[in-house]
Coordinates of all heavy atoms in Angstrom, one line a residue:
S281 N 0.2 15.4 25.2 CA -0.4 14.5 24.3 C -0.6 13.1 24.9 O -1.4 12.3 24.4 CB 0.4 14.4 23.0 OG 1.6 13.7 23.2
R282 N 0.2 12.8 25.9 CA 0.1 11.5 26.6 C -0.8 11.6 27.9 O -1.1 10.5 28.4 CB 1.5 11.0 27.0 CG 2.4 10.7 25.8 CD 3.7 10.0 26.2 NE 4.4 10.7 27.3 CZ 5.2 11.7 27.1 NH1 5.4 12.2 25.9 NH2 5.8 12.3 28.2
S283 N -1.1 12.7 28.3 CA -1.8 12.9 29.6 C -3.2 12.2 29.5 O -3.9 12.3 28.6 CB -2.0 14.4 29.8 OG -2.7 14.6 31.0
G284 N -3.4 11.4 30.6 CA -4.7 10.8 30.7 C -4.8 9.4 30.0 O -5.8 8.8 29.9
F285 N -3.7 9.0 29.4 CA -3.7 7.7 28.7 C -2.8 6.6 29.4 O -2.5 5.6 28.8 CB -3.1 7.9 27.2 CG -4.1 8.8 26.4 CD1 -3.8 10.1 26.2 CD2 -5.2 8.2 25.9 CE1 -4.7 10.9 25.4 CE2 -6.1 9.0 25.1 CZ -5.8 10.3 24.9
G286 N -2.5 6.9 30.7 CA -1.9 5.8 31.4 C -0.4 5.7 31.2 O 0.2 4.6 31.6
W287 N 0.3 6.7 30.8 CA 1.8 6.6 30.6 C 2.5 7.0 31.9 O 2.1 7.9 32.6 CB 2.2 7.7 29.5 CG 1.9 7.3 28.1 CD1 0.7 7.7 27.5 CD2 2.6 6.6 27.2 NE1 0.7 7.2 26.2 CE2 1.9 6.5 26.0 CE3 3.8 5.9 27.3 CZ2 2.4 5.9 24.9 CZ3 4.3 5.3 26.1 CH2 3.6 5.3 25.0
R288 N 3.5 6.3 32.2 CA 4.5 6.6 33.2 C 5.7 7.1 32.5 O 6.3 6.5 31.6 CB 4.8 5.4 34.1 CG 5.8 5.7 35.2 CD 6.0 4.5 36.1 NE 6.7 3.3 35.6 CZ 8.0 3.2 35.6 NH1 8.8 4.1 36.2 NH2 8.5 2.1 35.1
T289 N 6.1 8.3 32.9 CA 7.3 9.0 32.3 C 8.5 8.8 33.1 O 8.5 9.1 34.4 CB 7.0 10.5 32.0 OG1 5.9 10.6 31.1 CG2 8.2 11.2 31.4
V290 N 9.6 8.4 32.5 CA 10.9 8.3 33.2 C 11.9 9.2 32.4 O 12.0 9.1 31.2 CB 11.4 6.9 33.2 CG1 12.8 6.8 33.8 CG2 10.5 6.0 33.9
E291 N 12.5 10.2 33.1 CA 13.5 11.1 32.5 C 14.8 10.3 32.4 O 15.3 9.8 33.4 CB 13.7 12.3 33.3 CG 12.4 13.1 33.6 CD 11.9 13.8 32.3 OE1 12.6 14.1 31.4 OE2 10.6 14.0 32.3
A292 N 15.3 10.2 31.1 CA 16.5 9.4 30.9 C 17.4 10.1 29.8 O 17.7 9.5 28.8 CB 16.1 8.0 30.4
P293 N 17.8 11.3 30.1 CA 18.6 12.0 29.2 C 20.0 11.4 28.9 O 20.6 11.5 27.8 CB 18.8 13.4 29.7 CG 18.5 13.3 31.2 CD 17.6 12.1 31.3
L294 N 20.5 10.7 29.9 CA 21.9 10.1 29.8 C 21.9 8.6 30.1 O 22.6 7.8 29.5 CB 22.9 10.8 30.7 CG 23.2 12.2 30.3 CD1 24.0 12.9 31.4 CD2 24.0 12.3 29.0
E295 N 21.1 8.2 31.0 CA 21.2 6.8 31.6 C 20.1 5.9 31.0 O 19.4 5.2 31.7 CB 21.1 6.9 33.1 CG 22.1 7.7 33.8 CD 23.5 7.3 33.5 OE1 23.8 6.1 33.3 OE2 24.4 8.1 33.6
M296 N 20.0 5.9 29.7 CA 18.9 5.1 29.0 C 19.0 3.6 29.3 O 18.1 2.9 29.7 CB 18.9 5.3 27.5 CG 17.7 4.7 26.9 SD 17.5 4.7 25.1 CE 18.5 6.0 24.5
A297 N 20.2 3.0 29.2 CA 20.4 1.6 29.5 C 20.0 1.2 30.9 O 19.3 0.2 31.1 CB 21.8 1.2 29.2
K298 N 20.4 2.0 31.8 CA 20.1 1.8 33.2 C 18.6 1.8 33.5 O 18.0 1.0 34.2 CB 20.8 2.8 34.1 CG 20.5 2.7 35.6 CD 21.2 3.8 36.4 CE 20.6 4.0 37.7 NZ 21.0 5.3 38.3
E299 N 18.0 2.8 32.9 CA 16.5 3.0 33.1 C 15.7 1.8 32.4 O 14.8 1.3 33.0 CB 16.0 4.3 32.6 CG 16.5 5.5 33.4 CD 16.1 5.5 34.8 OE1 15.2 4.8 35.2 OE2 16.8 6.3 35.6
L300 N 16.2 1.4 31.2 CA 15.5 0.3 30.6 C 15.7 -1.0 31.4 O 14.7 -1.8 31.6 CB 16.1 0.1 29.2 CG 15.6 1.0 28.1 CD1 16.5 0.8 26.8 CD2 14.1 0.7 27.8
A301 N 16.8 -1.2 31.9 CA 17.1 -2.4 32.7 C 16.3 -2.5 34.0 O 16.0 -3.6 34.5 CB 18.6 -2.5 33.1
S302 N 15.8 -1.3 34.5 CA 15.0 -1.3 35.7 C 13.5 -1.4 35.5 O 12.8 -1.5 36.5 CB 15.3 0.0 36.5 OG 14.7 1.1 35.8
L303 N 13.1 -1.6 34.3 CA 11.6 -1.7 34.1 C 11.1 -3.0 34.5 O 11.8 -4.0 34.5 CB 11.3 -1.5 32.6 CG 11.7 -0.1 32.0 CD1 11.3 -0.1 30.5 CD2 11.0 1.0 32.8
D304 N 9.8 -3.0 34.9 CA 9.1 -4.3 35.2 C 8.8 -5.1 34.0 O 8.7 -4.5 32.9 CB 7.8 -4.0 36.0 CG 8.0 -3.3 37.3 OD1 9.1 -3.5 37.9 OD2 7.1 -2.6 37.8

Side-chain angles (χ1 to χ4, degrees):
S281 74
R282 295 186 311 275
S283 180
F285 293 101
W287 288 91
R288 178 170 72 89
T289 300
V290 175
E291 302 292 333
L294 293 168
E295 304 299 333
M296 188 186 337
K298 176 183 161 196
E299 293 298 344
L300 280 170
S302 72
L303 297 180
D304 293 334

